[in-house]
Amino acid sequence: MLSPSRLSPLLIALGVVLVLSGCVRRPPEPLRPSSPYPSRTEAPLVGGLVDRAIDGGTQALVVREGSDLGRCLAELNAARVRFSPVPDRQNTATCGLHQGGVLGADLGTVARMTPGDVEMTCQTALALSIWRRQSLEPAAREILGSDVVQIDHMGAYACRNVNNGVGSNRISAHAQAAALDFAGVRLRDGRRITVTRDWSGDTAEARFLRRIRDDACRIFGTTLSPDYNAVHHDHLHLEATDTRFCR
C-alpha cells in the first residue's frame, strides 16, 4: 500500500493529464450519407387511382394513365385487378383492339362481372375498376343496404356503328373495345336491379342507378343512359375515351 507522501504526486500528475486531455479538440465525426432509398412515405404511390375518390380530375387521370399501356397495367396490378394483355389486332379497317387485354376478377372487391373475362382496352378496364370501387359498390351499400355480388353487362367489343347502325354511319367505341354496356347488378340479399325495369321513378333502385350514372360521367368520356334515347333503354353505355358527353 502506497504511503500518503508517495500518493500525492501521483494524484497531482493524474489530474494534470485529465485537464490536458480535456483541452484537446477532437475532430468532428464525419457526416453519414443519407440513404439513397426513399422511405415508404416518400415513395410514389402506384395503383392509387383505382382507390382514389372520384373528383373533377378523375376522367383526365384515366385518359393520362390509361393511354400508356405500361402505366395502365401498373395501376391495375397494384390495385389487384387481373388484366391479361393481348397482342394488338386490326380486324377490319375500323374495328380492332389496341393496348387491350382481358379483364378478369378484381381481387379487391366481391363483385364479379358476368359474363367474365371481358376483352377491352386497358383504359376501359381502368375506368371500370374505378367506377366499381368508388361508385357502384358503395352506392349499393348506402342506398340499397346490400353488397353487389354480380355486375351484369352486354359486352364490350362489337364491330358496328353507333346505335347499332340505325340512322348513323359513325363508328361505335365498341368497335375498338373502348366501351362497356352495363345492364344491372345482383345483390347479396338476392335482389336484382336492372336498367330496363328500375330506371324510372323515385324508388331506391332508381336512385341507385342514377347515382352510378352521374358518377360514371366523371370517370368515362361518354356515358349514355335511358335519358339519352330509346336505344339505351336497357343499359348504360360507358365509354372510356377523351370525349365529354353525359346524358
Side-chain angles (χ1 to χ4, degrees), residues 25-228:
R25 297 184 63 184
R26 297 178 182 177
E29 294 185 3
L31 295 175
R32 295 181 181 180
S34 60
S35 171
Y37 304 102
S39 68
R40 289 183 64 86
T41 56
E42 295 171 334
L45 294 177
V46 178
L49 188 52
V50 174
D51 288 316
R52 182 177 182 270
I54 303 167
D55 59 29
T58 300
Q59 198 246 344
L61 288 172
V62 168
V63 172
R64 187 188 73 186
E65 299 303 304
S67 61
D68 180 271
L69 184 58
R71 291 201 304 268
C72 184
L73 289 174
E75 291 281 356
L76 294 174
N77 288 338
R80 297 193 299 151
V81 177
R82 289 180 174 171
F83 187 79
S84 304
V86 299
D88 289 354
R89 67 172 187 268
Q90 192 68 34
N91 297 337
T92 69
T94 56
C95 300
L97 178 62
H98 301 276
Q99 298 199 82
V102 177
L103 177 62
D106 181 342
L107 301 182
T109 69
V110 297
R112 294 293 177 259
M113 304 277 288
T114 302
D117 296 334
V118 195
E119 202 170 50
M120 62 184 66
T121 65
C122 190
Q123 184 167 309
T124 304
L126 179 59
L128 281 169
S129 298
I130 297 169
W131 183 62
R132 173 165 49 187
R133 286 200 194 180
Q134 302 303 318
S135 175
L136 185 117
E137 293 190 1
R141 287 190 290 269
E142 176 189 337
I143 299 173
L144 302 174
S146 185
D147 287 325
V148 175
V149 295
Q150 181 172 307
I151 300 172
D152 298 322
H153 67 90
M154 301 174 181
Y157 177 77
C159 187
R160 60 174 175 80
N161 294 343
V162 299
N163 294 335
N164 291 318
V166 178
S168 176
N169 293 321
R170 185 162 57 88
I171 299 299
S172 171
H174 287 289
Q176 287 83 43
L180 182 111
D181 287 341
F182 164 86
V185 298
R186 297 170 193 259
L187 304 179
R188 190 182 297 280
D189 62 14
R191 282 178 291 168
R192 184 182 182 192
I193 315 300
T194 68
V195 176
T196 304
R197 184 186 63 223
D198 299 309
W199 181 260
S200 301
D202 191 33
T203 62
E205 292 79 6
R207 292 196 302 275
F208 163 73
L209 291 173
R210 292 178 182 276
R211 163 82 70 82
I212 63 174
R213 187 274 310 272
D214 293 346
D215 287 341
C217 292
R218 299 192 290 165
I219 302 169
F220 296 87
T222 294
T223 300
L224 304 177
S225 71
D227 289 345
Y228 179 55

Side-chain angles (χ1 to χ4, degrees), residues 7-17:
L7 184 60
S8 295
L10 290 175
L11 291 174
I12 293 171
L14 180 59
V16 171
V17 171

